[in-house]
Amino acid sequence: MTTALDPTKALHTWSLFRTLGRFVAPGSMPSGGMPENRSTTGLPLLELPAQLAAHGFASAQLCHFYLPTTESPYLAELRAAFDEAGVDLEVLLVDDGDMTHPEHGAEHQRWLSGWLDVAEQLRISRVRVPAGDRAPSEEVLVRSASGLRALAAEHPDLRIVTENWKALLIDAATTRRLLELCEGEVGLLVDTGNWTGADKYEQIAQVAGIAECSQVKARENADGSLDAEDFTRSLSVLQEAGYAGRLSLVYAGADDDEWGRLEQLSTLVTEVAG
């Protein structure tokens, strides 16, 4: 079922990692996936909303590790900055935690719940959490669904979503099975760049129609140019599958001109949307 693409100009703030000085807050990545970096050379997070608005963005997915503190006064100030800029905080992206870990899963779940508390203070209605980083099996999927549903029950005012990401959700069948086990209590954020096999477009098509939000990722060719063919085909897959959510642009390449690359992606979206 083909649908019109949402025209909202949206992005995933990972796209601005260099612009924000490669900042990674202390304690925000306990699994060690990214090194802490207290750099103050980049754009301060409190100034990001105004810059987003200046570049025409009306929506953002915010990476949790950009928050230099989770103290209530700072969170209130950040929320006010987004409100003043007229930029919607669509999703808080929590990029660590593994509830399926055989020894530390419960500890990770408590840590994730703390970030859901942060989302509530920021008045962000949707939070993406990882489903798990174990190889898929029915046992691991049940464990993941149990943790996700528990987080949703603890935070009924938030919409919990997970992503086709990490070692657990490696394909459409596994992703759909997890959502089935969650019985509607947890949603899906589809990332077009996380599956890279020869059948990636077919796999994305099988979950795009049930996704609530997205990250549309751009690859680069060997010469550093954007892979426009892959990007536009991914957009077409979402469109043909009936995806109706926002298209949050993701630039993760080597060009320091992140704003310029994002503008190129936005132009491609406009071309596909007609």
Side-chain angles (χ1 to χ4, degrees):
M1 180 181 65
T2 301
T3 59
L5 295 175
D6 189 326
T8 303
K9 194 172 179 182
L11 89 166
H12 176 350
T13 54
W14 173 250
S15 303
L16 297 171
F17 188 56
R18 283 183 290 276
T19 298
L20 291 164
R22 295 180 170 85
F23 183 85
V24 178
S28 62
M29 301 293 287
S31 296
M34 295 172 63
E36 294 180 1
N37 182 4
R38 303 172 188 241
S39 169
T40 59
T41 60
L43 180 73
L45 185 59
L46 288 172
E47 296 179 19
L48 176 63
Q51 286 298 307
L52 290 172
H55 287 86
F57 287 96
S59 176
Q61 296 183 357
L62 179 63
C63 300
H64 84 285
F65 54 80
Y66 286 144
L67 293 169
T69 175
T70 57
E71 295 294 323
S72 294
Y74 179 85
L75 297 179
E77 190 176 3
L78 182 61
R79 178 73 233 193
F82 274 95
D83 288 344
E84 183 176 346
V87 178
D88 181 46
L89 279 169
E90 183 194 18
V91 188
L92 178 66
L93 303 168
V94 186
D95 286 303
D96 207 327
D98 179 9
M99 293 180 292
T100 65
H101 193 285
E103 298 175 12
H104 305 296
E107 177 186 344
H108 287 218
Q109 186 171 323
R110 288 191 294 272
W111 182 84
L112 287 165
S113 185
W115 280 101
L116 299 187
D117 293 338
V118 171
E120 289 170 339
Q121 290 190 69
L122 280 169
R123 290 186 283 115
I124 305 178
S125 60
R126 186 182 280 121
V127 184
R128 188 270 277 133
V129 299
D133 208 13
R134 310 292 110 184
S137 69
E138 185 67 10
E139 177 185 357
V140 173
L141 286 168
V142 168
R143 194 185 313 153
S144 174
S146 175
L148 290 167
R149 295 178 71 173
L151 290 175
E154 291 169 15
H155 301 270
D157 294 332
L158 296 176
R159 177 60 171 170
I160 309 303
V161 296
T162 194
E163 181 180 337
N164 57 315
W165 183 41
K166 294 188 178 286
L168 181 57
L169 300 186
I170 59 172
D171 56 27
T174 307
T175 302
R176 293 184 72 98
R177 176 56 181 157
L178 176 66
L179 295 175
E180 180 183 288
L181 289 167
C182 289
E183 298 184 347
E185 296 175 17
V186 175
L188 177 67
L189 182 157
V190 61
D191 186 307
T192 65
N194 287 349
W195 292 336
T196 58
D199 62 345
K200 65 164 279 186
Y201 303 110
E202 290 79 5
Q203 293 286 330
I204 293 168
Q206 291 178 49
V207 298
I210 57 174
E212 302 175 12
C213 42
S214 74
Q215 294 169 358
V216 189
K217 195 167 290 177
R219 295 175 172 176
E220 287 183 328
N221 296 309
D223 62 0
S225 62
L226 288 175
D227 187 343
E229 180 179 357
D230 173 71
F231 185 78
T232 55
R233 185 171 176 187
S234 295
L235 289 173
S236 296
V237 168
L238 296 181
Q239 190 174 38
E240 291 164 10
Y243 172 72
R246 294 177 186 170
L247 302 166
S248 290
L249 306 178
V250 186
Y251 175 66
D255 194 335
D256 287 341
D257 183 13
E258 293 168 321
W259 292 115
R261 289 297 200 176
L262 285 165
E263 196 56 41
Q264 286 181 265
L265 298 181
S266 182
T267 298
L268 290 172
V269 171
T270 300
E271 292 173 358
V272 172

